[in-house]
Amino acid sequence: MSGFTVHPLLDTGTVTVSDVLCRGDCRHRSAEECARATHLVFPYRGLYLRHVGGEQSVADANHVLCFNADEGYQVSHPVSGGDASLVLSVAPGLLSELAPADLLHRHDEPGFNTQSLRIDPRAQALVALLRHSLRHRAIEPLEAESLGLTLLCRSLGPRTRHASSATRARSRLVDRVKVLLAGDLGRRWSLAEIAAEIGGSPVYLTQVFQQVEGMPLHRYHLRLRLARALDLVAGCEDMSALAQDLGFSSHSHFSAAFRQVHGRTPSAFRRAALAKSA
């Protein structure tokens, strides 16, 4: 597929994992594409929009996108710089067994009845841990399979997933905020600045964002920045520079925020991801 680079990381027949990098050349809607198999896509870098019929889903590191076999879709890239995602698929019988019934419909094989779900920081950390450990050959296939199934269950579990029930107009307004944040991830935004860019009052934007995403805007932005840290930390030798690039006031501020959300410091996460590669 033009503009994509696919790095296969694992294929056991039960669980398949790939790292997919996209240049993001197409700013407007692409020609229609079609998934060959049902799978989950976990964006971990950049942002793009996925269009299925009249529905639009923002693909950023706070979400998992659900792709169904033989379902047509289009993508667009409103933010420059391309994007990257971890792609996870499991055998159809296993998907039927592990995924909650309310998320699936059944034709010839199980498929998802939703386009996108928001995931929690634990799922984001699992994405990074699985990708880093496979890329650095720091994990055995059996352990990687188990980690992939844990990621699937975590992302689709009713206690951790979030699907919005807001109107399309409000969802599209929030999508514009997400695109704005992704365009300058390390910027220290204020509500007034966001409102000036998007239109509307800061109070209204805060209320709508909370309704659509189920969390405050500032927390959503923080999770995006920390997800970018999860992406970069395995190859990072200068945590202070990384903290500055992501808009944190200091290394200690970055480390404290990372630990509060992910339960360990960035350095500790890096050691865990690369533990077996030495």
Side-chain angles (χ1 to χ4, degrees):
M1 189 180 298
S2 178
F4 283 82
T5 303
V6 180
H7 299 283
L9 300 179
L10 180 72
D11 187 355
T12 66
T14 301
V15 177
T16 302
V17 181
S18 299
D19 194 10
V20 179
L21 311 180
C22 177
R23 294 199 305 267
D25 297 332
C26 182
R27 298 297 297 271
H28 302 289
R29 286 197 187 197
S30 67
E32 186 167 274
E33 304 171 27
C34 190
R36 296 181 180 178
T38 299
H39 56 273
L40 295 174
V41 173
F42 296 89
Y44 64 84
R45 185 188 310 156
L47 176 146
Y48 65 93
L49 300 179
R50 180 183 181 229
H51 311 273
V52 179
E55 293 188 38
Q56 172 179 290
S57 300
V58 171
D60 66 15
N62 283 337
H63 291 84
V64 56
L65 274 71
C66 305
F67 284 70
N68 292 325
D70 302 322
E71 181 177 67
Y73 65 91
Q74 298 170 293
V75 298
S76 57
H77 298 84
V79 176
S80 62
D83 55 82
S85 301
L86 191 78
V87 178
L88 171 68
S89 62
V90 301
L94 199 56
L95 180 61
S96 296
E97 183 178 350
L98 294 177
D102 66 309
L103 286 182
L104 297 180
H105 61 68
R106 284 169 171 78
H107 299 299
D108 295 333
E109 64 179 56
F112 297 102
N113 57 27
T114 186
Q115 301 298 328
S116 174
L117 294 167
R118 201 191 69 232
I119 57 175
D120 70 347
R122 176 58 180 160
Q124 292 175 323
L126 288 170
V127 170
L129 188 62
L130 182 60
R131 184 175 69 87
H132 290 315
S133 57
L134 285 171
R135 288 296 298 262
H136 291 87
R137 303 180 185 275
I139 192 171
E140 297 294 333
L142 180 59
E143 185 180 356
E145 282 184 307
S146 298
L147 195 58
L149 295 180
T150 299
L151 173 59
L152 183 149
C153 292
R154 181 80 188 185
S155 302
L156 302 182
R159 291 185 298 175
T160 53
R161 72 180 193 243
H162 172 82
S164 172
S165 59
T167 65
R168 177 177 293 187
R170 291 192 169 197
S171 295
R172 291 295 175 92
L173 178 64
V174 169
D175 287 351
R176 290 169 57 200
V177 175
K178 295 174 185 177
V179 170
L180 181 67
L181 297 178
D184 194 353
L185 198 57
R187 179 171 172 176
R188 299 178 189 177
W189 291 97
S190 70
L191 281 174
E193 290 171 337
I194 295 173
E197 292 284 346
I198 300 299
S201 73
V203 172
Y204 179 72
L205 281 179
T206 300
Q207 293 172 341
V208 171
F209 200 96
Q210 177 76 43
Q211 180 193 22
V212 173
E213 286 299 322
M215 69 167 63
L217 197 162
H218 71 85
R219 188 182 304 166
Y220 189 96
H221 185 219
L222 175 63
R223 288 187 181 181
L224 282 181
R225 293 155 68 203
L226 293 178
R228 181 63 170 150
L230 288 170
D231 168 28
L232 297 172
V233 70
C236 180
E237 299 292 342
D238 188 344
M239 294 296 175
S240 295
L242 178 59
Q244 184 176 12
D245 289 344
L246 293 175
F248 292 94
S249 59
S250 65
H251 173 260
S252 61
H253 178 209
F254 166 53
S255 185
F258 191 101
R259 183 169 187 169
Q260 182 178 21
V261 171
H262 293 297
R264 64 181 86 182
T265 65
S267 297
F269 182 87
R270 182 177 187 273
R271 289 193 296 270
L274 307 180
K276 299 178 184 177
S277 63

